[in-house]
Amino acid sequence: MSSETGPFDYIIIGAGTAGCLLANRLSADGKSQVLLLEAGGRDTYMWINIPVGYLYTMNNPRTDWCFRTEPSPGLNGRAIAYPRGKVLGGCTAINGMIYMRGQARDYEQWRQMGNTGWSWDDVLPYFKRSEDHFMGADEHHGAGGEWRVEEARISWEILNAFREACAQVGIPKISDFNTGDNEGAAYFQVNQRSGVRWTAAKGFLRPAAKRNNLSIVTHAHATRLLFDGSKAVGVSYDRKGQRVDVRATGEVLLAAGAVASPQLLELNGIGEPRVLKQHGIDIRCPLPGVGANLQDHLQLRTAYKVSNVRTLNEWSNSLFGKIDIALRYALFRKGPMAMAPSQLGVFAKSDPARETANLQYHVQPLTLGAFGEPLDAFPAITASVCDLRPESRGSIHIRTSDPKSAPLIAPNYLSAPADRQVAADAIKLTRRIMSAQALEPYAPEEFRPGANIVGDENLAAAAGDIGTTIFHPVGTCKMGSDPMAVVDERLRVHGLDGLRVIDASIMPTITSGNTNSPTLMIAEKAAQMIVEDRRSGSRT
């Protein structure tokens, strides 16, 4: 059974970071009819609002797609969870809330790859346009926008000592990671409002939802793109077992993320012909880059026991500690329940020859085996470190022709020899920091991967045991004009009309830091380009 609605000027697939902003901007004129489709439900789950709630939203089918990767040789045969938001707000409802743009160098590289209009100077105004920074507007930050940025509401003695130790080994203390060069150590700034998680749905969608020209449909799983020749003219989606066809007179905007966007393209015959033929899918548009070029930040979760200082481990493992934590949040919106998953950030070079920082630390006053597992009972800290610019490339492709089947995710971590060297160097730098004078009073003792592991090859192998995603998949529908590019610099799919991809999948190379706010910037810039192109009558 099927039904048909519309037409709409714009149909947006995915109400995550990009989709929420697009829905806001494209409906702002009060005239354009905009439809936003979200496969997940509404964002009413209590744990979305509480910052520490990521422990209950990841790996929870209510809010997470609950994907898993294929076993990875670089991870010594392990398969790992690959969380992606499945709810209004998308990954902003389950992520680490860290506000990070990356480095100016990242965007200069995009420009040098032929993507006109994507240099640092080009994109900075779009970062600022949506920003509401706690310090107000200046040359680097914006104020009054929808994307709230605040200081962390907690500090820790052991993290302060780690920051001091960084200074002692040559990594300076700084106050802001978002001015173009993020080398240094500081507490992360976060997307929160007064100790409550701030999501793209809260910032962009709720203010726009009252507009008569914006329609929002949840539990709407897009299954098919509708075409008239080479022009996208609509979308089919499944809702409660019923097929619904919706028509677009303007454009179809694919904002489903680095996992789902290439999956939907391939299901519709857009992609690598070999992959499509394997699953009996007719080739509509041969684009070999669809699903290729997957990049992600692999975090190496080094861990150290400490003494003479409180960490979250023992605080949360006692009844009185739990009561204390709950009261601090209930009364003041402070304390551990207001914490982002990571509090202290450090950007550093794995070796002095690097042009800019190529490592990022997420330092936490806690340890656990994996997300969702109980914290260890003894005082300890985690110093996760990732290679910001990995050379390894993976892929995401359909597993079957069934739209409800999870795709095959193969990140291919640590497959490049250069990445294995950076991993070994990162663990050695962590040991230097932990051996600095500022940390001596806390007698740090490495237990992951273990101080007995030495030598670059052994350290690289150990990295495979302690490495896991830090949730930054990008690049699977990359922007450019080379044979592996999927979209052009205006995010239009090559070879087709009326179809754009607008999410983290279009990044040709991964940014040097957390990828959520760069995705927001991409959507902000895309919204302006869409309006410009419609006014000028350019190819859509």
Side-chain angles (χ1 to χ4, degrees):
M1 183 177 181
S2 65
S3 63
E4 184 168 330
T5 63
F8 296 89
D9 293 285
Y10 305 107
I11 299 173
I12 304 165
I13 302 173
T17 304
C20 287
L21 184 144
L22 289 169
N24 182 299
R25 299 294 188 253
L26 296 177
S27 64
D29 62 7
K31 300 176 182 178
S32 298
Q33 295 296 317
V34 180
L35 173 64
L36 178 63
L37 301 176
E38 169 55 42
R42 305 199 73 83
D43 56 337
T44 54
Y45 187 39
M46 174 189 74
W47 287 110
I48 291 175
N49 297 309
I50 300 172
V52 79
Y54 70 92
L55 293 170
Y56 307 101
T57 55
M58 287 188 182
N59 302 314
N60 179 346
R62 179 170 179 169
T63 48
D64 182 3
W65 283 93
C66 299
F67 294 129
R68 290 190 66 81
T69 71
E70 296 300 293
S72 176
L75 301 187
N76 301 324
R78 292 186 298 126
I80 59 174
Y82 217 63
R84 295 284 88 196
K86 187 182 181 182
V87 64
L88 289 180
C91 288
T92 64
I94 70 172
N95 71 0
M97 296 164 282
I98 293 171
Y99 182 71
M100 189 66 59
R101 297 171 177 172
Q103 299 171 5
R105 174 193 184 279
D106 302 328
Y107 305 99
E108 294 305 321
Q109 183 178 13
W110 291 8
R111 179 186 61 80
Q112 290 165 9
M113 295 171 74
N115 296 298
T116 303
W118 291 90
S119 72
W120 172 252
D121 287 342
D122 291 322
V123 303
L124 182 58
Y126 297 102
F127 278 113
K128 294 170 67 175
R129 180 176 298 177
S130 61
E131 188 179 13
D132 185 23
H133 196 270
F134 68 96
M135 289 291 288
D138 61 22
E139 63 176 316
H140 300 296
H141 292 288
E146 299 88 348
W147 199 227
R148 181 62 179 169
V149 180
E150 295 187 349
E151 289 184 297
R153 296 170 68 86
I154 191 169
S155 66
W156 294 81
E157 178 184 342
I158 189 64
L159 299 189
N160 295 337
F162 190 98
R163 189 181 182 209
E164 189 64 40
C166 287
Q168 291 173 351
V169 301
I171 305 167
K173 296 179 184 179
I174 62 173
S175 60
D176 189 352
F177 288 128
N178 291 297
T179 62
D181 180 0
N182 53 18
E183 185 172 4
Y187 278 89
F188 288 121
Q189 295 171 4
V190 293
N191 295 121
Q192 294 181 9
R193 185 178 290 280
S194 301
V196 176
R197 176 189 287 273
W198 195 246
T199 70
K202 291 178 181 178
F204 297 95
L205 201 54
R206 288 185 186 176
K210 58 188 176 184
R211 297 172 184 162
N212 292 330
N213 60 321
L214 174 61
S215 301
I216 304 168
V217 184
T218 56
H219 302 290
H221 189 133
T223 57
R224 193 69 55 195
L225 302 175
L226 306 177
F227 285 88
D228 181 2
S230 63
K231 180 177 174 59
V233 295
V235 178
S236 289
Y237 66 87
D238 179 90
R239 192 171 194 267
K240 299 180 180 179
Q242 181 180 10
R243 172 182 162 178
V244 182
D245 292 347
V246 287
R247 299 285 170 169
T249 58
E251 296 187 64
V252 175
L253 309 174
L254 186 49
V259 174
S261 285
Q263 179 187 24
L264 191 57
L265 290 177
E266 288 185 339
L267 288 168
N268 287 275
I270 305 162
E272 165 58 54
R274 176 185 54 80
V275 173
L276 304 180
K277 290 177 181 178
Q278 178 183 348
H279 298 288
I281 296 173
D282 293 336
I283 299 170
R284 179 178 300 278
C285 183
L287 286 175
V290 172
N293 193 47
L294 173 63
Q295 298 155 64
D296 190 12
H297 288 144
L298 179 73
Q299 61 171 335
L300 310 182
R301 294 181 58 81
T302 68
Y304 289 77
K305 294 180 181 179
V306 293
S307 304
N308 310 315
V309 69
R310 180 163 69 168
T311 71
L312 188 56
N313 284 8
E314 67 278 12
W315 194 357
S316 65
N317 273 314
S318 73
L319 176 59
F320 289 114
K322 288 183 172 71
I323 294 172
D324 182 28
I325 290 170
L327 286 175
R328 286 172 186 251
Y329 190 75
L331 296 175
F332 309 111
R333 293 291 185 264
K334 293 185 177 181
M337 290 185 71
M339 288 192 336
S342 300
Q343 296 78 52
L344 185 73
V346 181
F347 288 82
K349 298 176 181 177
S350 62
D351 65 76
R354 298 280 173 172
E355 176 189 355
T356 61
N358 68 312
L359 298 178
Q360 180 182 6
Y361 284 86
H362 293 75
V363 192
Q364 307 157 318
L366 57 88
T367 56
L368 70 170
F371 286 114
E373 294 183 6
L375 301 187
D376 294 319
F378 47 83
I381 67 169
T382 299
S384 292
V385 58
C386 67
D387 180 353
L388 288 171
R389 295 187 285 274
E391 293 186 9
S392 300
R393 296 292 184 268
S395 63
I396 296 177
H397 292 298
I398 53 175
R399 191 182 302 270
T400 74
S401 59
D402 179 3
K404 298 293 183 70
S405 178
L408 191 154
I409 303 171
N412 215 19
Y413 295 121
L414 297 175
S415 58
D419 293 354
R420 296 178 67 81
Q421 184 61 56
V422 171
D425 291 341
I427 295 173
K428 289 187 289 187
L429 176 58
T430 307
R431 289 173 175 174
R432 283 181 58 210
I433 296 169
M434 297 303 297
S435 299
Q437 184 179 7
L439 285 165
E440 285 182 3
Y442 309 106
E445 179 184 345
E446 179 183 330
F447 68 95
R448 189 178 297 129
N452 61 310
I453 300 175
V454 296
D456 287 357
E457 281 301 316
N458 292 331
L459 289 172
D465 291 327
I466 63 173
T468 189
T469 180
I470 203 162
F471 323 120
H472 299 165
V474 307
T476 48
C477 298
K478 80 167 188 171
M479 171 174 58
S481 56
D482 62 279
M484 294 299 288
V486 177
V487 299
D488 66 14
E489 72 277 0
R490 298 187 79 80
L491 309 189
R492 301 171 296 199
V493 175
H494 288 300
L496 298 171
D497 294 322
L499 180 63
R500 301 192 205 222
V501 181
I502 304 169
D503 54 37
S505 70
I506 69 94
M507 295 186 190
T509 54
I510 195 166
T511 53
S512 300
N514 307 72
T515 53
N516 184 249
S517 288
T519 302
L520 202 67
M521 174 277 294
I522 289 167
E524 188 79 84
K525 182 172 169 61
Q528 180 171 312
M529 292 191 293
I530 291 166
V531 173
E532 289 173 350
D533 287 350
R534 187 168 193 181
R535 288 173 179 169
S536 67
S538 298
R539 181 182 74 85
T540 58

